[in-house]
């Protein structure tokens, strides 16, 4: 149940981030000859930027930037606590009120699809609060049973492939600037899960054994078998990056974004 709640909670966070990104893209498109516009966006910052563009008033750009920054702050800190979805929901309700005002004042600006998209985003913001609350108040006994079940399944899986050949690396890890999510040493091996050039890399002893590339990251894992060890690195979709060896967690680190 915990994994399912985490998945749904991260879907809500992902939809919020997507809305922010597409709003920024829409604002950027104002400065191009393109007539393209993504409906999956926020009304207030877009209209503020439009006024700033057509009226050449810097103050409207500031309004757009502040509103988008608030949404981004809510998204970042929602990783640690679902409560940050509450101000995001309130602000988006105000956005819908503004959309309604604009639609009444400028009837030609009304778009039923835009309204439906706003309802869609509103649903996911509410879902973030609901699933975050359920996750936060998950009974301790149920959570422990789920963890024990996962550990048993991991142990069985690792035992089934004990005699398999070692995984071949994809390539040698580049010695470049990177951000380490989590790392550990185990039985003479240095294991690292890091972010490099837009991709997450699973590195053991200087060799890359897996890569993960997604703008919005749900829970995921990368695995390899090295010298009889089943090594897995990944992100739990909520709070931590981790390293597992033969199904047992040997390192875990809080990840804010």
């Amino acid at each position: 149940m915990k994994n399912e709640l985490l998945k749904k909670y991260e879907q809500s966070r992902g939809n919020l981030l997507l809305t922010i990104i597409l709003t920024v893209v829409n604002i950027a498109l104002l400065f191009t000859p393109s007539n393209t516009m993504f409906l999956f966006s926020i009304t207030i910052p877009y209209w503020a930027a439009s006024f700033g563009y057509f009226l050449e008033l810097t103050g409207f750009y500031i309004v757009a930037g502040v509103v988008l920054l608030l949404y981004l702050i809510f998204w970042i800190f929602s990783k640690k606590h679902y409560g940050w979805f509450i101000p995001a929901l309130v602000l988006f309700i105000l956005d819908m009120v503004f959309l309604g005002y604009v639609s009444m004042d400028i009837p030609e600006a009304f778009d039923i699809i835009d309204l439906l998209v706003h309802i869609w985003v509103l649903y996911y913001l509410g879902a973030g609060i609901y699933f975050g609350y359920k996750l936060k108040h998950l009974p301790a006994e149920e959570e422990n049973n789920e963890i024990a079940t996962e550990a048993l399944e991991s142990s069985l899986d690792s035992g089934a492939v004990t005699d398999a050949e070692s995984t071949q690396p994809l390539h040698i890890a580049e010695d470049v600037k990177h951000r380490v999510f989590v790392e550990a040493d185990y039985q003479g091996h240095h294991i690292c899960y890091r972010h490099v050039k837009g991709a997450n890399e699973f590195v053991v002893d200087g060799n890359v054994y897996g890569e993960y590339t997604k703008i919005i990251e749900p829970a995921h894992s990368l695995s390899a078998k090295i010298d009889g060890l089943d090594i897995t690195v990944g992100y739990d979709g909520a709070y931590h990056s981790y390293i597992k060896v033969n199904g047992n967690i040997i390192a875990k680190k809080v990840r804010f974004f």
Side-chain angles (χ1 to χ4, degrees), residues 6 79 180-184 191-195 200-204 210-212 217-224 230-245 248-257:
L6 280 172
K79 179 173 286 294
V180 174
F181 293 138
V182 61
E183 61 183 341
I191 308 164
C192 178
Y193 191 37
R194 66 180 195 170
H195 184 79
N200 298 348
E201 290 185 342
F202 169 26
V203 182
V204 179
E211 295 178 337
Y212 187 85
E217 296 185 25
H220 60 270
S221 63
L222 300 169
S223 301
D230 290 306
I231 304 174
T232 300
V233 300
Y235 169 57
D236 63 11
Y239 305 104
H240 299 93
S241 294
Y242 60 84
I243 298 175
K244 290 182 180 181
V245 177
N248 300 310
I249 294 178
I250 64 167
K252 180 185 288 189
K253 186 176 179 181
V254 173
R255 176 177 167 187
F256 295 100
F257 57 90

Side-chain angles (χ1 to χ4, degrees), residues 3-257:
N3 287 338
E4 187 63 26
L5 289 174
L6 280 172
K7 181 179 178 181
K8 291 180 178 179
Y9 184 72
E10 284 304 311
Q11 283 179 342
S12 296
R13 293 189 71 246
N15 275 278
L16 175 56
L17 179 59
L18 180 61
T19 306
I20 297 170
I21 292 172
L22 292 183
T23 303
V24 172
V25 172
N26 281 339
I27 292 174
L29 289 173
L30 284 172
F31 301 90
T32 70
S34 173
N35 292 320
T36 302
M37 178 182 174
F38 296 97
L39 293 175
F40 209 86
S41 63
I42 309 166
T43 303
I44 292 176
Y46 178 76
W47 276 78
S50 297
F51 287 141
Y53 178 75
F54 291 108
L55 301 178
E56 298 183 353
L57 295 174
T58 305
F60 284 108
Y61 290 125
I62 295 175
V63 172
V66 169
V67 174
L68 285 172
L69 180 61
L70 285 174
Y71 277 108
L72 184 61
I73 290 172
F74 300 152
W75 174 77
I76 291 173
F77 287 99
S78 67
K79 179 173 286 294
K80 294 198 67 177
H81 197 282
Y82 71 91
W84 288 93
F85 267 106
I86 297 175
L89 178 64
V90 172
L91 192 57
F92 200 77
I93 290 174
L94 293 176
D95 196 81
M96 289 193 69
V97 171
F98 179 77
L99 176 63
Y101 171 78
V102 170
S103 299
M104 288 187 295
D105 193 49
I106 312 174
E108 58 269 23
F110 175 73
D111 190 321
I112 185 63
I113 298 179
D114 197 7
L115 177 61
L116 293 175
V117 168
H118 269 67
I119 294 174
W120 175 272
V121 176
L122 196 67
Y123 163 77
Y124 271 105
L125 292 175
I129 297 172
Y130 175 77
F131 291 117
Y133 177 85
K134 295 279 286 184
L135 187 62
K136 189 74 173 179
H137 296 83
L138 191 68
E141 182 178 352
E142 184 176 344
E143 184 173 352
N144 290 335
N145 287 339
E146 186 166 316
I147 292 173
T149 300
E150 290 178 353
L152 177 60
E153 290 176 350
S154 298
S155 298
L156 292 174
D157 290 342
S158 63
V161 294
T162 300
D163 297 326
E165 295 182 359
S166 293
T167 304
Q168 296 300 311
L170 301 178
H171 55 82
I172 297 175
E174 295 183 60
D175 185 13
V176 294
K177 185 178 180 180
H178 61 274
R179 179 163 67 95
V180 174
F181 293 138
V182 61
E183 61 183 341
D185 292 305
Y186 189 86
Q187 293 188 6
H189 296 288
H190 182 71
I191 308 164
C192 178
Y193 191 37
R194 66 180 195 170
H195 184 79
V196 181
K197 297 180 179 179
N200 298 348
E201 290 185 342
F202 169 26
V203 182
V204 179
D205 300 331
N207 293 311
V208 177
Y209 284 86
E211 295 178 337
Y212 187 85
T213 54
K214 277 193 177 181
I215 296 176
I216 301 173
E217 296 185 25
H220 60 270
S221 63
L222 300 169
S223 301
K225 186 175 181 65
I226 302 171
D227 292 342
L229 301 174
D230 290 306
I231 304 174
T232 300
V233 300
Y235 169 57
D236 63 11
Y239 305 104
H240 299 93
S241 294
Y242 60 84
I243 298 175
K244 290 182 180 181
V245 177
N246 294 338
N248 300 310
I249 294 178
I250 64 167
K252 180 185 288 189
K253 186 176 179 181
V254 173
R255 176 177 167 187
F256 295 100
F257 57 90

